[in-house]
Amino acid sequence: MQPANTLPSSPLPSIEPADLEWHEGVPESKQFGDIYFSRENGLEESRYVFIDHNNLPVRFATVPEAGAFVVAENGFGTGLNFLATWQAWSSYGPSHAATLHFISAERFPLTPQDLEKALSFWPELKELAHELIANYPPLVRGAHRLVLGSGRVRLTLYFGDLNDAWSNLRFKADAWFLDGFAPAVNPGAWQETAVEHIRQHSKPGTTLATFTAVGYIRRLLQGAGAQMQKTKGYGRKRDMLSGVFWPDSLPSSKATETVTPSVTIVGAGIAGCLLANNLAQRGYPVTLIDSASQAGAAASGNLQGALYVKLGVEFNAQTEFALSALTFSQRYYETNGGEFWHRTGLLQLAWNSSEEDRQRRFISRNQYPEDILYPVTKKAAEIQAGIPLSSGGLWFPRSGWLEPAELCRMLSTHPAIQMVYNFPVTQMSQSDGQWRLSGDTPEHAPVYTDSVVICAGHKTPEVIPGQNRLRFKAIRGQVTHLPDILSANPRAVICGARYLNPFYTIENQRQAVMGATFDLHDNTPEPTAESHQENLHALSAMVPAVLPSDKAAAIEPEQLEGRAGFRCTTHDYQPVAGQFYDSEGTPTDGLYLLTGLGSKGLTYAPLLAEFLADKISGQPLALPASLIKRVATRRMHRLRTANK
């Protein structure tokens, strides 16, 4: 539930959880001295007040193909309203592809244990509650996107102050649940500022309902442009309020598209395949083009890849983005990675004095929930990794490793995705609102599409039409396939000067992928013995138990296998996702970029694909405004006018 503005009571990025008392199975907030739901029948009250008085069963049934319905709420609490809405969507929503978005803010979120206890009160919601709890985010401030119900339901949870949430999130609601504790105990949720935010996030015809019937609340909402009425309340409550926004100052909503626009994605690496699958699940027809003969053939073609970020000592916007991407990708792969996701945990080793000092400062200045990370001693690290180590480090229990090439191929296999291989795109042009993509290969006819997303990695500048001076750069990285002749096999991913994955059977051989080099001025496309030697030397210094120096010296680098690829990165080492802007700062209709992921593609790509699919479909955005700036495309132009 939502209080007035309060200063953080715990170090960033953690957030103070709700402090509860339990009375006959019903939770009560100690912060507010009020209950979370009716002791008579909280679920029926939720249905009566919010589902029925927003006329959701009828409205859900009319959502068009590839469309969305957006519900916003000013206090998540136990999630009871959300689960009731999800249940109604399952019963009354359309049978075709469409998305329910539910957006809610919560200053004092429940712990997973309290959430599970509260929702056990409602056995008929058991399956939905179980999925919610399994995907419930760690208790850190900011926006969290949860993808539920096989992609048909998207929950955006903002942990923090209500006004911060509505200032930062980008959406237009179709219906509002004005919940939260009663105005008498929680006046902060009912201030003029909060009501003004509700107005800004509404459109003509947006409905609202609230359990309260307090006169000044009704007058505030009327002053914001809502036509309000008092109606019979639920149970012992005599009255409640409902209404519709018809403010003259709000722009008219756009007419619903009768035909879902087509999207063509150039590049079938992890970013392109994730985006293609995301849009296809939402009901969009997608064409996925790649110059190779299969998906996941370029930088995403490694046999193993670690799910890893290095969080900054200072909790700033860059660190917040990395954390958001990490937690979202962990949830995504747990649900969608199938046999190609291996949750082994990951150890960020304090492998030298500099990294040991950095980790010490990191722990002293930040507070992270233990389901994200926690420090471990040398002994504890050895237990987690299963091998002797020279130091401790930071343990990430929900991380692990992926088989990215196989995952790309799985994601691209969807009835709504048309794959076009061996098609290097060399020309792009726009005419009459459609894009034309063509190449030098005569076997492929030009592709015509409404929108284009370029996910071509380091080749992105070659594909973007026009004369552009863009701040992208390619960095070569070579991985080494280690044979199973070593003295120790870690059971978790180990990261330091290099990363080392656990051994497993790859192409009928037991081996592990380790790497990767960081070659700024090397354009060699094939693996080299020199890069293998560099990897071996770094691994021997980082984890001597895995590769003792005598064994390292006995290995002939020329006999090793591996892969060389080219990461695409940017001048500020932050990724790029969004609509393309030309050098004059003008947006280009129907042209988007998703690239510049560097060495963190497996971690960054799921959240950025979710955000860009939101953007293309016109649905609520997964990223808050503060993080959208971090990935903006217009910053890639060298010309000064692009920053206007």
Coordinates of all heavy atoms in Angstrom, one line a residue, residues 6 137 140 204 217 252 313 317 381 416 471 494 497 539 547 603 619:
T6 N 8.2 9.6 1.9 CA 9.1 9.3 3.0 C 10.5 9.1 2.5 O 10.7 8.7 1.4 CB 8.7 8.0 3.8 OG1 8.6 6.9 2.8 CG2 7.3 8.2 4.4
P137 N 9.6 -10.1 -7.8 CA 11.0 -9.5 -7.9 C 11.6 -9.4 -6.5 O 11.0 -9.3 -5.5 CB 10.8 -8.1 -8.6 CG 9.4 -7.8 -8.2 CD 8.6 -9.1 -8.1
V140 N 14.0 -4.5 -4.3 CA 14.8 -3.3 -4.6 C 14.0 -2.3 -5.3 O 13.0 -2.6 -5.9 CB 16.0 -3.7 -5.5 CG1 17.0 -4.6 -4.8 CG2 15.6 -4.3 -6.8
P204 N -9.5 9.9 -22.7 CA -11.0 10.0 -22.7 C -11.6 8.6 -22.7 O -11.2 7.7 -23.5 CB -11.3 10.7 -24.1 CG -10.1 11.5 -24.3 CD -8.9 10.7 -23.8
I217 N -12.3 13.5 -1.9 CA -11.8 12.6 -2.9 C -12.6 12.7 -4.2 O -12.1 12.9 -5.3 CB -11.7 11.2 -2.4 CG1 -10.8 11.0 -1.2 CG2 -11.2 10.3 -3.6 CD1 -9.4 11.4 -1.4
S252 N -7.5 13.1 -27.9 CA -8.4 12.0 -28.3 C -7.5 10.8 -28.6 O -6.4 10.9 -29.1 CB -9.2 12.3 -29.6 OG -10.0 13.4 -29.3
V313 N 30.0 0.3 -7.9 CA 30.1 0.6 -6.5 C 29.1 1.6 -6.1 O 28.5 1.6 -5.1 CB 31.5 1.1 -6.2 CG1 31.6 1.6 -4.7 CG2 32.5 -0.1 -6.4
A317 N 22.3 5.5 -12.3 CA 21.4 5.0 -13.3 C 22.0 3.8 -14.1 O 21.3 2.9 -14.5 CB 21.0 6.1 -14.3
A381 N 33.1 -19.8 -0.8 CA 33.1 -19.8 -2.3 C 33.5 -21.1 -2.8 O 33.0 -21.6 -3.9 CB 34.1 -18.7 -2.7
A416 N 4.3 -17.4 -36.0 CA 4.2 -16.0 -36.5 C 5.5 -15.4 -37.0 O 5.5 -14.2 -37.4 CB 3.6 -15.1 -35.4
R471 N 28.5 6.4 -33.4 CA 29.5 6.0 -32.4 C 29.4 4.6 -31.9 O 29.2 4.3 -30.8 CB 29.4 7.0 -31.2 CG 29.7 8.4 -31.6 CD 29.9 9.4 -30.5 NE 28.6 9.7 -29.8 CZ 28.5 10.6 -28.9 NH1 29.6 11.3 -28.4 NH2 27.3 10.9 -28.4
I494 N 32.4 -19.1 -12.9 CA 33.3 -18.3 -12.2 C 33.8 -17.1 -13.1 O 34.2 -17.4 -14.3 CB 34.6 -19.1 -11.8 CG1 34.1 -20.3 -10.9 CG2 35.6 -18.2 -11.1 CD1 35.2 -21.2 -10.5
A497 N 39.1 -12.2 -14.3 CA 39.8 -11.7 -15.5 C 39.2 -12.4 -16.7 O 39.2 -11.8 -17.8 CB 41.3 -12.0 -15.4
L539 N 43.4 -17.7 -17.2 CA 42.7 -18.6 -16.4 C 43.6 -19.3 -15.4 O 43.2 -19.5 -14.2 CB 42.1 -19.7 -17.3 CG 41.3 -20.8 -16.6 CD1 40.1 -20.3 -15.8 CD2 40.9 -21.9 -17.5
L547 N 43.4 -24.9 -13.8 CA 44.5 -25.0 -14.8 C 45.8 -24.6 -14.1 O 46.3 -23.5 -14.2 CB 44.2 -24.0 -15.9 CG 45.1 -24.2 -17.2 CD1 44.9 -25.6 -17.8 CD2 44.7 -23.1 -18.2
T603 N 22.5 -10.9 -21.0 CA 21.8 -10.3 -19.8 C 21.0 -9.1 -20.2 O 19.8 -8.9 -19.7 CB 22.9 -9.8 -18.8 OG1 23.7 -10.9 -18.5 CG2 22.2 -9.3 -17.5
Q619 N 2.4 -0.1 -26.3 CA 1.9 -0.6 -25.0 C 2.8 0.0 -23.9 O 3.8 0.6 -24.1 CB 2.0 -2.1 -24.9 CG 1.0 -2.8 -25.9 CD 1.1 -4.3 -25.9 OE1 1.6 -4.9 -25.0 NE2 0.6 -4.9 -27.0

